Amino acid sequence: DLCHGDPEECFFFIPRQKSEAHGGRPKRLTATGYWKATGSPGSVYSSKSNRCIGEKRTMVFYNGRAPNGQKTDWKMNEYKAIKEEEASSSSGAYPK
């Protein structure tokens, strides 16, 4: 239902893992490989108020186990909502 008929674009919503909720790194492992974050996270802004409402991180899938996995063509964007207090406590009105 969340793909709206487009097999190339799907959205999945998952709760945060306990380790991630307490400041740890998220585990992005699967039975056949792992997702590795690439580049710097970007900011996501509200279209109505132009306020920062989250972060976007691009990830690439690797077959096998780290650090010897083989990079594939599979890419995914991970979006993370941020709380209003976190956005306003950053330096300046909006995070860079």
Side-chain angles (χ1 to χ4, degrees):
D1 289 342
L2 296 174
C3 295
H4 301 290
D6 185 355
E8 295 292 320
E9 186 172 304
C10 293
F11 294 88
F12 303 94
F13 299 90
I14 58 169
R16 293 173 73 182
Q17 300 165 351
K18 282 186 181 182
S19 61
E20 185 182 1
H22 296 293
R25 292 177 54 183
K27 294 177 179 61
R28 299 181 180 117
L29 303 173
T30 69
T32 59
Y34 59 98
W35 290 95
K36 181 178 179 183
T38 61
S40 300
S43 298
V44 177
Y45 295 95
S46 166
S47 61
K48 293 181 181 179
S49 64
N50 202 32
R51 286 183 339 174
C52 182
I53 57 172
E55 287 183 342
K56 172 185 167 184
R57 183 175 287 268
T58 302
M59 294 186 290
V60 176
F61 188 75
Y62 285 76
N63 282 318
R65 297 186 66 152
N68 301 321
Q70 292 188 330
K71 187 176 181 179
T72 68
D73 291 335
W74 284 76
K75 293 185 180 175
M76 172 170 60
N77 289 323
E78 177 184 72
Y79 294 91
K80 181 171 97 171
I82 58 174
K83 295 180 183 175
E84 197 170 330
E85 308 89 54
E86 293 175 18
S88 62
S89 67
S90 65
S91 59
Y94 304 105
K96 295 188 181 197

